[in-house]
PDB file of all heavy atoms in Angstrom:
ATOM      1  N   PRO A  35     -35.871  46.918  15.563  1.00 91.00           N
ATOM      2  CA  PRO A  35     -36.590  46.051  14.577  1.00 91.00           C
ATOM      3  C   PRO A  35     -37.138  44.764  15.113  1.00 91.00           C
ATOM      4  O   PRO A  35     -38.171  44.222  14.755  1.00 91.00           O
ATOM      5  CB  PRO A  35     -35.461  45.853  13.559  1.00 91.00           C
ATOM      6  CG  PRO A  35     -34.566  46.991  13.645  1.00 91.00           C
ATOM      7  CD  PRO A  35     -34.577  47.323  15.116  1.00 91.00           C
ATOM      8  N   HIS A  36     -36.402  44.206  16.059  1.00 85.00           N
ATOM      9  CA  HIS A  36     -36.843  42.887  16.745  1.00 85.00           C
ATOM     10  C   HIS A  36     -38.111  43.136  17.490  1.00 85.00           C
ATOM     11  O   HIS A  36     -39.121  42.424  17.319  1.00 85.00           O
ATOM     12  CB  HIS A  36     -35.775  42.336  17.583  1.00 85.00           C
ATOM     13  CG  HIS A  36     -36.207  41.112  18.381  1.00 85.00           C
ATOM     14  ND1 HIS A  36     -36.531  40.013  17.823  1.00 85.00           N
ATOM     15  CD2 HIS A  36     -36.551  40.947  19.689  1.00 85.00           C
ATOM     16  CE1 HIS A  36     -36.905  39.061  18.629  1.00 85.00           C
ATOM     17  NE2 HIS A  36     -36.970  39.666  19.870  1.00 85.00           N
ATOM     18  N   LEU A  37     -38.162  44.236  18.299  1.00 84.00           N
ATOM     19  CA  LEU A  37     -39.472  44.524  19.107  1.00 84.00           C
ATOM     20  C   LEU A  37     -40.537  44.891  18.162  1.00 84.00           C
ATOM     21  O   LEU A  37     -41.667  44.547  18.463  1.00 84.00           O
ATOM     22  CB  LEU A  37     -39.154  45.631  20.077  1.00 84.00           C
ATOM     23  CG  LEU A  37     -38.215  45.319  21.263  1.00 84.00           C
ATOM     24  CD1 LEU A  37     -37.844  46.394  22.169  1.00 84.00           C
ATOM     25  CD2 LEU A  37     -38.830  44.093  22.082  1.00 84.00           C
ATOM     26  N   ALA A  38     -40.230  45.636  17.130  1.00 87.00           N
ATOM     27  CA  ALA A  38     -41.265  45.914  16.082  1.00 87.00           C
ATOM     28  C   ALA A  38     -41.910  44.689  15.577  1.00 87.00           C
ATOM     29  O   ALA A  38     -43.133  44.594  15.264  1.00 87.00           O
ATOM     30  CB  ALA A  38     -40.762  46.838  15.123  1.00 87.00           C
ATOM     31  N   SER A  39     -40.998  43.612  15.294  1.00 85.00           N
ATOM     32  CA  SER A  39     -41.579  42.371  14.723  1.00 85.00           C
ATOM     33  C   SER A  39     -42.522  41.687  15.748  1.00 85.00           C
ATOM     34  O   SER A  39     -43.307  40.835  15.402  1.00 85.00           O
ATOM     35  CB  SER A  39     -40.404  41.378  14.378  1.00 85.00           C
ATOM     36  OG  SER A  39     -39.808  40.864  15.496  1.00 85.00           O
ATOM     37  N   LEU A  40     -42.459  42.061  17.121  1.00 79.00           N
ATOM     38  CA  LEU A  40     -43.291  41.480  18.013  1.00 79.00           C
ATOM     39  C   LEU A  40     -44.483  42.334  18.337  1.00 79.00           C
ATOM     40  O   LEU A  40     -45.302  42.110  19.198  1.00 79.00           O
ATOM     41  CB  LEU A  40     -42.489  41.268  19.416  1.00 79.00           C
ATOM     42  CG  LEU A  40     -41.228  40.297  19.292  1.00 79.00           C
ATOM     43  CD1 LEU A  40     -40.542  40.282  20.516  1.00 79.00           C
ATOM     44  CD2 LEU A  40     -41.878  38.953  18.945  1.00 79.00           C
ATOM     45  N   GLY A  41     -44.631  43.533  17.649  1.00 82.00           N
ATOM     46  CA  GLY A  41     -45.783  44.344  17.703  1.00 82.00           C
ATOM     47  C   GLY A  41     -45.623  45.681  18.450  1.00 82.00           C
ATOM     48  O   GLY A  41     -46.571  46.384  18.648  1.00 82.00           O
ATOM     49  N   VAL A  42     -44.305  46.103  18.804  1.00 86.00           N
ATOM     50  CA  VAL A  42     -44.165  47.370  19.465  1.00 86.00           C
ATOM     51  C   VAL A  42     -44.415  48.508  18.513  1.00 86.00           C
ATOM     52  O   VAL A  42     -44.145  48.477  17.311  1.00 86.00           O
ATOM     53  CB  VAL A  42     -42.557  47.416  19.909  1.00 86.00           C
ATOM     54  CG1 VAL A  42     -42.226  48.872  20.199  1.00 86.00           C
ATOM     55  CG2 VAL A  42     -42.297  46.481  21.043  1.00 86.00           C
ATOM     56  N   THR A  43     -45.155  49.488  19.102  1.00 88.00           N
ATOM     57  CA  THR A  43     -45.364  50.651  18.327  1.00 88.00           C
ATOM     58  C   THR A  43     -44.930  51.841  19.200  1.00 88.00           C
ATOM     59  O   THR A  43     -44.927  51.776  20.416  1.00 88.00           O
ATOM     60  CB  THR A  43     -46.904  50.850  17.954  1.00 88.00           C
ATOM     61  OG1 THR A  43     -47.626  50.792  19.216  1.00 88.00           O
ATOM     62  CG2 THR A  43     -47.359  49.697  17.103  1.00 88.00           C
ATOM     63  N   GLU A  44     -44.548  52.906  18.516  1.00 90.00           N
ATOM     64  CA  GLU A  44     -44.164  54.106  19.218  1.00 90.00           C
ATOM     65  C   GLU A  44     -45.442  54.986  19.377  1.00 90.00           C
ATOM     66  O   GLU A  44     -46.293  54.990  18.558  1.00 90.00           O
ATOM     67  CB  GLU A  44     -43.123  54.953  18.502  1.00 90.00           C
ATOM     68  CG  GLU A  44     -41.840  54.175  18.399  1.00 90.00           C
ATOM     69  CD  GLU A  44     -40.653  55.022  17.800  1.00 90.00           C
ATOM     70  OE1 GLU A  44     -40.838  56.264  17.756  1.00 90.00           O
ATOM     71  OE2 GLU A  44     -39.747  54.422  17.300  1.00 90.00           O
ATOM     72  N   VAL A  45     -45.601  55.663  20.595  1.00 91.00           N
ATOM     73  CA  VAL A  45     -46.738  56.544  20.876  1.00 91.00           C
ATOM     74  C   VAL A  45     -46.125  57.876  21.357  1.00 91.00           C
ATOM     75  O   VAL A  45     -44.975  57.953  21.948  1.00 91.00           O
ATOM     76  CB  VAL A  45     -47.615  55.956  21.987  1.00 91.00           C
ATOM     77  CG1 VAL A  45     -48.247  54.685  21.542  1.00 91.00           C
ATOM     78  CG2 VAL A  45     -46.859  55.738  23.284  1.00 91.00           C
ATOM     79  N   ASP A  46     -46.879  58.954  21.101  1.00 92.00           N
ATOM     80  CA  ASP A  46     -46.403  60.258  21.518  1.00 92.00           C
ATOM     81  C   ASP A  46     -46.626  60.407  23.016  1.00 92.00           C
ATOM     82  O   ASP A  46     -47.234  59.548  23.641  1.00 92.00           O
ATOM     83  CB  ASP A  46     -47.069  61.404  20.757  1.00 92.00           C
ATOM     84  CG  ASP A  46     -48.587  61.453  20.966  1.00 92.00           C
ATOM     85  OD1 ASP A  46     -48.995  61.179  22.091  1.00 92.00           O
ATOM     86  OD2 ASP A  46     -49.266  61.842  20.041  1.00 92.00           O
TER      87      ASP A  46
END
Side-chain angles (χ1 to χ4, degrees):
H36 176 67
L37 291 174
S39 76
L40 298 173
V42 165
T43 59
E44 293 185 22
V45 297
D46 64 35

